[in-house]
Amino acid sequence: GIHSKDVEPSWLVVAMLLGGKSLQARLRECVKEGLPGIPPKELVSYMDESAKGIDFLNAPQHDLGDGPIAIQHSDIKPANIVLIGSSAVVCDFGLARILSRNQVTATSAAGTPAYMAPEAIRGKPARSSDQYALAVTYYHLRTGTLPVNDGSLWEVLDAHRHGNLEFGLVPDAEQDVLRKATELDWEARFDSCVDLVDALREALRGEGHTKPSFVPQSKQLGAPG
């Protein structure tokens, strides 16, 4: 088709299959079963699949007619990650923001307050804003609790703006990872969402929740022990 470089795109169309239940619904199921949240081994698999999708979106490789740009989803939360079969897929791109050289072309704040990065609250989402929201999403799904106290909208936004997030319901190793992913300075976070999930997996492994995904060479060679 014909595309004029003088006209900025106003729509982002993402085609996908109709999903089943969201991770928010899966969390409710787990809580009804008496669990604090989605079991860690199950949850980290969902986070890994979500992270790959978000990183693809965030990469500066989407040509909408005027050269490669990056896109921020801007509304990552449990309700917007759905299970298609046994796989987790990020959906609802209604608030997606187009980024160019880490700057956003739109200036209005968008997203769900409980999960929003401070720079997104200011209307200037950056390349790691979705990572911040994914970290908050992980904690909510892991513990059944948000890292901000229930309160007014202003109090919730203020907690994000000043870095007053509470991750005390998970062990120290996970807390360290989540704090890095939610640094006030977006450039101090992980390089990608996949890096965040890799760090969470390593923390969970140290806590005994997951096992190494590789077989030691000695075992592969049939060595004793």
Side-chain angles (χ1 to χ4, degrees):
I2 299 174
H3 178 86
S4 170
K5 291 187 177 181
D6 297 328
V7 179
E8 291 190 4
S10 5
W11 294 92
L12 170 68
V13 179
V14 179
M16 59 187 296
L17 297 172
L18 181 64
K21 63 189 168 193
S22 69
L23 292 192
Q24 180 172 293
R26 177 62 186 137
L27 173 61
R28 285 196 297 266
E29 289 178 349
C30 292
V31 170
K32 285 182 180 179
E33 294 170 5
L35 300 171
I38 298 176
K41 187 174 181 180
E42 176 186 350
L43 177 58
V44 78
S45 175
Y46 298 152
M47 292 296 99
D48 183 54
E49 292 164 340
S50 301
K52 290 173 182 175
I54 294 169
D55 283 346
F56 174 78
L57 191 69
N58 291 171
Q61 62 184 352
H62 310 284
D63 193 344
L64 301 185
D66 196 23
I69 49 85
I71 300 171
Q72 282 285 309
H73 182 283
S74 296
D75 199 20
I76 299 296
K77 59 184 179 181
N80 283 346
I81 302 174
V82 300
L83 296 175
I84 298 178
S86 60
S87 298
V89 177
V90 176
C91 68
D92 195 347
F93 293 80
L95 297 176
R97 292 287 182 261
I98 298 171
L99 300 181
S100 176
R101 295 186 180 181
N102 298 328
Q103 296 298 315
V104 69
T105 57
T107 56
S108 60
T112 303
Y115 305 88
M116 286 177 70
E119 67 276 6
I121 291 171
R122 294 192 297 270
K124 295 288 185 180
R127 63 175 171 79
S128 62
S129 297
D130 283 343
Q131 178 188 145
Y132 181 107
L134 186 65
V136 176
T137 292
Y138 170 86
Y139 185 77
H140 188 188
L141 294 171
R142 170 93 161 86
T143 67
T145 303
L146 281 162
V148 292
N149 293 326
D150 287 336
S152 67
L153 174 61
W154 175 260
E155 289 171 325
V156 170
L157 295 179
D158 210 44
H160 287 293
R161 281 191 292 248
H162 295 287
N164 296 329
L165 303 185
E166 176 54 60
F167 296 117
L169 295 180
V170 295
D172 290 346
E174 284 176 80
Q175 289 189 44
D176 290 344
V177 174
L178 294 173
R179 288 195 187 99
K180 179 175 175 61
T182 56
E183 287 276 4
L184 288 178
D185 178 2
W186 63 265
E187 292 183 289
R189 298 169 194 159
F190 291 97
D191 289 338
S192 69
C193 289
V194 166
D195 286 347
L196 159 62
V197 175
D198 284 345
L200 284 171
R201 185 183 290 107
E202 189 64 29
L204 290 169
R205 186 175 297 143
E207 297 161 15
H209 290 295
T210 62
K211 295 180 180 179
S213 57
F214 63 90
V215 177
Q217 188 174 14
S218 61
K219 295 289 186 182
Q220 293 177 334
L221 297 176

